[in-house]
Amino acid sequence: MTTVRVTRFVNCPFSAVIEFAEERLRGRGDIMLSPAPPLRQHAHLDSQVTEDLTDTSRKHDALLLAWKPSLARLFPDFHGALTVRPKGRGAWLRIQGSYEPPFGVAGRIFDAVAGRLIAQLTLTRLLRDIARTAEERWRAFRAERPA
């Protein structure tokens, strides 16, 4: 089992991030799993709101994430969570999850050499997309509020 984690700061209040992330992921439907054109593969992305049990200082939500590659088992299924922590006027986003490399020993060797990096790049792109959407939605929300 391989565990991966990526983090990113978002300029959006902690209290709004999960809602904006949920809206974005609900409309997304799939995710591209590899940055390299010969290996590109789509995967169906599911998300579900849940209570964030990793934060003992406050009650709030997290998003469970899972994807399953659309074609042959070249890429593994992924299961993880998006969590949010306040930081000033923004928040830290973190996606952490795990997968089992396919193809036994050969898959574990590939994972150690390149697969883990591919997974981290995939999560980084996803987190960048979520952060961009949250910041845009927050700016739009603020622009709509009367002065």
Side-chain angles (χ1 to χ4, degrees):
M1 187 73 59
T2 300
T3 300
V4 289
R5 174 177 46 180
V6 295
T7 59
R8 182 182 181 103
F9 181 79
V10 61
N11 191 12
C12 176
F14 164 79
S15 59
V17 173
I18 288 293
E19 180 181 341
F20 293 154
E22 180 189 19
E23 288 174 10
R24 175 62 183 123
L25 293 177
R26 194 176 329 124
R28 186 177 181 119
D30 69 354
I31 184 170
M32 185 69 67
L33 295 180
S34 173
L39 296 176
R40 284 199 175 145
Q41 185 174 156
H42 289 274
H44 179 71
L45 174 64
D46 284 319
S47 63
Q48 178 182 348
V49 176
T50 188
E51 185 178 344
D52 185 349
L53 300 176
T54 65
D55 189 349
T56 58
S57 63
R58 66 183 60 75
K59 290 185 74 142
H60 58 93
D61 291 334
L63 281 177
L64 295 177
L65 303 174
W67 66 68
K68 186 174 198 63
S70 57
L71 299 175
R73 304 278 304 156
L74 182 61
F75 290 93
D77 296 352
F78 173 86
H79 299 278
L82 169 69
T83 56
V84 182
R85 298 294 182 268
K87 176 67 175 169
R89 292 185 171 195
W92 281 107
L93 305 178
R94 179 177 70 186
I95 297 177
Q96 181 170 330
S98 58
Y99 59 91
E100 184 66 41
F103 308 118
V105 173
R108 288 191 295 278
I109 292 169
F110 175 80
D111 188 60
V113 173
R116 183 179 171 90
L117 178 61
I118 291 170
Q120 287 177 315
L121 289 172
T122 299
L123 291 178
T124 298
R125 283 194 320 272
L126 178 60
L127 204 54
R128 182 179 57 228
D129 182 47
I130 291 168
R132 186 177 315 136
T133 298
E135 289 173 345
E136 289 170 359
R137 293 272 290 124
W138 179 245
R139 280 193 299 273
F141 173 78
R142 289 190 48 122
E144 293 171 3
R145 288 182 20 195

